[in-house]
Amino acid sequence: MGPVSARLPTFPWDTLAEAKERAASHRDGIVDLSVGTPVDDSPQVAQDALARAANAPGYPTVFGPLSLRQSVVDWLARRFGITGVTPDQVLPTVGSKEFIGNLPVQLGLGPGDVVGFPTLAYPTYEVGARFAGCEPVAADSTIAFGPAAPRLLYLNSPANPHGRVLGADHMRKTVEWCRERDTLLVSDECYLEFVWEGEATSVLHPDVNGGSLEGILAVHSLSKRSNLAGYRDAFVVGDQSVIAELLTLRKHLGFMLPAPVAAAMEAALGDDAHVDAQRERYARRRALLRTALEKAGFEITHSQGSLYLWATRDEPCRETVEWLADRGILVAPGEFYGPAGARHVRVGFTATDERIVAAASRLA
């Protein structure tokens, strides 16, 4: 029996060690825009709730408190006009990466099953497929699958890495295509609160799904919207039969959100003020960094949403990484997200105001 890790690609960020060392040698220190990790404080409302729930001697449940799942239902209605969702259609997860990485296995998929995802995509879609022994297929058009429909298809909007925002028509047609072929559609919507151009559209909205969540899951996270990446709190919403099956399996496996984290998550979902304030911070950082990149000769592609700028100098992406590293700026090469990204880099704007200003100054 060989190691399971042999099915997986090299962990992408391990290949950035040399560029990171070069950027760190800058006299004013590194500006790390490669990962997109939140740096601003977690909201006080979540910290307070976590502290109040810290005395938690008993085991939590995999389904989580009803009040937590109701807070998700209320948040969807309040922020996005999504109606018709019930708490039984909500399942807390230990971060969204855990869920995506394990989903094909937990759905019982394996050799011979196709898992589809965009040609530019979060690497964990492919990793989860390979972990289960499935065939990963990167495609931006359903036509690319031919007569053999995938068992599982991922959408991602606003997208990582390039920030593309899909419209309601595109989503609606994809829902219909998947239902005709009994394909489970999983929409990764972790950046839904961060749409800068256009409108935020969820696959959960009745205008997209016709008022039914059959064959649909949507993944959401508080890592970005609430600066809670260290808490590992996320959730999935959708088809009640799929949620029920995942719940049963995850009870056996022990995928449970710690009770204090669940309390913090509920408090954060009930508070919009901290998200609105964070949006303003990111909007300022995005505008400053975008202007600096464009003045330095970069072209920005897509980037209507998410927390990244998809930038190119029309050269191999590793050359761009080196050019920026010489100026003390570390970014992610576009090839991390698929061959289609070979001439782009992903530039995060989640660094502090001071670091974003430093990056803009160096680009000038």
Side-chain angles (χ1 to χ4, degrees):
M1 180 165 45
V4 176
S5 63
R7 303 176 193 167
L8 309 181
T10 301
F11 187 64
W13 274 266
D14 288 347
T15 70
L16 273 184
E18 184 178 336
K20 186 173 184 178
E21 183 178 354
R22 183 185 303 185
S25 68
H26 190 279
R27 63 182 181 276
D28 188 32
I30 189 173
V31 178
D32 192 343
L33 308 178
S34 65
V35 178
T37 188
V39 298
D40 301 299
D41 288 345
S42 300
Q44 194 62 48
V45 66
Q47 294 186 47
D48 291 345
L50 184 81
R52 287 194 300 270
N55 184 17
Y59 288 111
T61 65
V62 172
F63 212 9
L66 174 60
S67 59
L68 169 60
R69 290 180 280 117
Q70 183 63 52
S71 73
V72 170
V73 173
D74 296 342
W75 171 75
L76 289 170
R78 187 177 68 248
R79 296 292 272 188
F80 303 108
I82 294 169
T83 57
V85 178
T86 69
D88 286 347
Q89 294 172 306
V90 179
L91 179 65
T93 66
V94 191
S96 59
K97 184 171 185 175
E98 167 269 305
F99 179 76
I100 291 169
N102 287 290
L103 182 59
V105 168
Q106 293 183 0
L107 290 172
L109 304 185
D113 292 324
V114 171
V115 174
F117 47 84
T119 57
L120 284 168
Y122 180 49
T124 309
Y125 306 143
E126 179 179 356
V127 167
R130 292 189 180 280
F131 178 44
C134 298
E135 179 186 353
V137 174
D140 290 330
S141 169
T142 53
I143 297 173
F145 294 105
R151 295 289 305 280
L152 172 63
L153 179 66
Y154 285 102
L155 285 184
N156 181 205
S157 176
N160 175 14
H162 51 59
R164 183 184 179 192
V165 176
L166 298 177
D169 286 344
H170 182 110
M171 285 191 167
R172 190 180 304 111
K173 290 175 182 177
T174 306
V175 169
E176 293 169 356
W177 186 89
C178 287
R179 284 177 173 165
E180 289 171 358
R181 291 158 180 81
D182 199 26
T183 297
L184 180 65
L185 177 62
V186 179
S187 181
D188 182 349
E189 302 177 354
C190 289
Y191 297 95
L192 199 61
E193 300 254 28
F194 299 111
V195 174
W196 312 109
E197 303 168 26
E199 295 184 5
T201 302
S202 170
V203 74
L204 298 173
H205 199 285
D207 289 349
V208 171
N209 60 45
S212 168
L213 299 185
E214 179 186 357
I216 293 171
L217 295 179
V219 182
H220 289 268
S221 168
L222 278 75
S223 293
K224 303 298 196 295
R225 77 173 295 274
S226 296
N227 298 331
L228 292 177
Y231 285 49
R232 309 314 301 138
D233 50 2
F235 56 89
V236 58
V237 183
D239 189 320
Q240 191 163 348
S241 65
V242 179
I243 294 292
E245 171 62 18
L246 290 170
L247 173 61
T248 299
L249 179 64
R250 289 164 72 89
K251 284 179 180 178
H252 286 289
L253 299 175
F255 284 94
M256 56 187 73
L257 202 62
V261 173
M265 178 176 172
E266 182 177 337
L269 283 169
D271 179 73
D272 297 333
H274 76 274
V275 183
D276 294 337
Q278 190 63 46
R279 273 186 57 87
E280 292 179 6
R281 292 188 197 101
Y282 283 145
R284 291 194 302 269
R285 294 167 185 169
R286 175 180 182 269
L288 179 61
L289 196 55
R290 178 169 191 151
T291 298
L293 285 166
E294 289 176 335
K295 286 184 177 179
F298 286 82
E299 178 185 347
I300 307 300
T301 309
H302 296 307
S303 305
Q304 297 99 342
S306 79
L307 300 179
Y308 314 103
L309 294 169
W310 190 236
T312 181
R313 283 164 33 107
D314 197 24
E315 65 185 5
C317 60
R318 291 284 179 169
E319 292 183 16
T320 308
V321 170
E322 293 175 4
W323 186 88
L324 288 165
D326 286 338
R327 288 151 182 81
I329 302 169
L330 186 66
V331 300
E335 66 187 19
F336 277 10
Y337 309 96
R343 301 183 78 81
H344 280 76
V345 293
R346 192 193 74 169
V347 187
F349 46 86
T350 60
T352 63
D353 290 344
E354 183 272 334
R355 288 289 83 184
I356 294 294
V357 169
S361 176
R362 297 174 193 185
L363 288 166

